[in-house]
Amino acid sequence: MLEDVERWLSTRSWAARDRPLKKLIAAKRSSNATVSVVLPALNEEETVGEIVAVIRRDLMLKAPLVDEIVVIDSGSTDRTSEVAAAAGARVVHRDDILPRIPAVPGKGEVLWRSLLVTSGDIVCFVDADLKEFSSEFVSGIVGPLLTDPGVDLVKAMYDRPLGTELNSLASGRTAGQGGRVTELMARPLLNMHWPQLAGFVQPLGGEYAARRSLLEQLPFPVGYGVELGMLIDALHLVGLDALAQVDVGVRKHRHQDGQALGRMAAAIYRTAQLRLARGHLIRPSLTQFERGEDGFEPRTYSVDTEERPPMAEIAEYAGRKVA
């Protein structure tokens, strides 16, 4: 491991308990910073309500750390919007944000548009499919941004169990066997091409917080590559010492099947390739196979290739700041 990464691990890796909530509230008051929490959601009625309720109870009613909770619904066909609103979130539909630019499917698209409908100086992103959610996922990663002016982006790190059978002592396996795309795709890419980022435990994790002043300068890959792209671009824009990570314990969520993970890995590879050399791909698509009546049948999926520009370049965003 590079010497500067070892130094970074000792100076920019913390645990949520390192910053008690009282300390964060005091820092927030002294800085007058505001905090927005954004949950991108697509058919998450089973989990989104509990996440919103916990954040609202612990970090708005009991302690005034969070100023707004916004759920961006990207086209749910279940009761995601109703459940989120009933729990206390402001719900905004993706297609209602910046309608002059037609929306495309993808998580990064939702995160990018969220900057237009939130107002916090610090924006905290939380996936909407988490189970047994703790508010430390928010307070932990927001903490360094409130207490250290030299930090611009903070990623959550955690154990990510793949299933109970993998975590039992009898199995002989260790905890944290989830994050298969991280271990098979993202971590090798980062270690080989961006070794300064090799110290991040969960580079693809969906829980992270950043200063708006940084986010509005970053391009957003519209799909699954958004977390990797954001981390790489932030490194180049503000440097390693402005990035940090905080241990928030254990992350439990719904896992995807192998083919979905393959599509995710392809999008992440595409994002990395664009950043290695802004050349063209010969074939930005991925063919997978499913067994059908006549044997294995190919299914070809396009790989996310579009990116949204930095929000600071969008006229509506600049106009809102002037107003």
Side-chain angles (χ1 to χ4, degrees):
M1 183 174 289
L2 295 177
E3 184 177 337
D4 57 347
V5 176
E6 291 183 351
R7 176 192 53 79
W8 178 85
L9 279 169
S10 65
T11 60
R12 285 290 187 262
S13 294
W14 298 292
R17 62 178 177 273
D18 292 337
R19 291 175 175 81
L21 196 52
K22 288 184 179 180
K23 181 178 180 179
L24 300 186
I25 299 301
K28 183 176 188 289
R29 287 172 177 162
S30 65
S31 66
N32 291 318
T34 53
V35 177
S36 299
V37 175
V38 172
L39 280 75
L42 176 63
N43 294 329
E44 304 294 357
E45 67 175 1
E46 294 183 4
T47 51
V48 68
E50 177 67 14
I51 297 171
V52 170
V54 169
I55 296 172
R56 187 170 183 272
R57 180 194 68 207
D58 293 352
L59 304 180
M60 295 182 82
L61 300 179
K62 291 184 178 179
L65 185 72
V66 170
D67 297 282
E68 63 175 350
I69 307 172
V70 181
V71 170
I72 311 293
D73 191 328
S74 57
S76 298
T77 56
D78 64 2
R79 298 182 61 254
T80 290
S81 292
E82 294 87 342
V83 171
R90 176 162 61 94
V91 178
V92 183
H93 292 273
R94 177 199 61 195
D95 295 348
D96 294 335
I97 307 170
L98 199 61
R100 75 172 177 85
I101 300 178
V104 297
K107 179 183 180 182
E109 177 83 358
V110 174
L111 301 185
W112 181 72
R113 290 174 186 264
S114 76
L115 297 181
L116 264 169
V117 293
T118 55
S119 59
D121 303 305
I122 295 169
V123 183
C124 175
F125 299 117
V126 176
D127 283 349
D129 65 342
L130 302 188
K131 302 174 182 178
E132 300 178 28
F133 179 78
S134 165
S135 59
E136 284 194 344
F137 272 78
V138 173
S139 59
I141 57 178
V142 166
L145 296 165
L146 291 172
T147 59
D148 190 334
V151 174
D152 289 324
L153 184 148
V154 182
K155 297 279 293 188
M157 57 177 168
Y158 34 70
D159 289 315
R160 194 176 177 188
L162 182 59
T164 55
E165 75 281 4
L166 293 182
N167 298 316
S168 65
L169 293 176
S171 70
R173 306 287 185 95
T174 57
Q177 296 297 314
R180 291 159 286 173
V181 176
T182 293
E183 300 303 329
L184 297 175
M185 175 61 73
R187 200 176 306 287
L189 281 172
L190 292 177
N191 276 264
M192 287 188 289
H193 300 299
W194 295 278
Q196 282 186 300
L197 298 174
F200 277 93
V201 175
Q202 296 289 352
L204 300 185
E207 290 69 47
Y208 49 98
R211 299 190 192 281
R212 178 176 293 272
S213 58
L214 171 62
L215 293 172
E216 65 187 13
Q217 297 181 69
L218 298 176
F220 277 59
V222 298
Y224 285 125
V226 63
E227 275 84 21
L228 185 80
M230 187 178 297
L231 201 57
I232 294 169
D233 294 340
L235 173 68
H236 291 303
L237 192 62
V238 296
L240 182 61
D241 284 341
L243 312 180
Q245 60 185 350
V246 172
D247 188 348
V248 296
V250 178
R251 184 187 197 266
K252 298 180 180 179
H253 69 122
R254 182 186 65 252
H255 293 282
Q256 301 193 56
D257 63 34
Q259 292 204 338
L261 295 178
R263 295 191 290 274
M264 183 185 301
I268 289 165
Y269 180 74
R270 168 63 172 171
T271 300
Q273 186 181 40
L274 284 172
R275 280 153 179 77
L276 284 168
R278 293 285 174 175
H280 63 277
L281 268 178
I282 295 175
R283 184 175 180 267
S285 58
L286 174 71
T287 298
Q288 298 177 318
F289 294 87
E290 297 177 5
R291 185 182 290 278
E293 293 181 359
D294 299 321
F296 285 102
E297 300 174 355
R299 299 284 188 271
T300 299
Y301 303 88
S302 62
V303 176
D304 295 318
T305 58
E306 187 174 357
E307 295 192 3
R308 294 306 189 188
M311 187 58 78
E313 298 178 6
I314 300 299
E316 288 88 340
Y317 186 81
R320 190 193 73 163
K321 295 181 72 174
V322 171

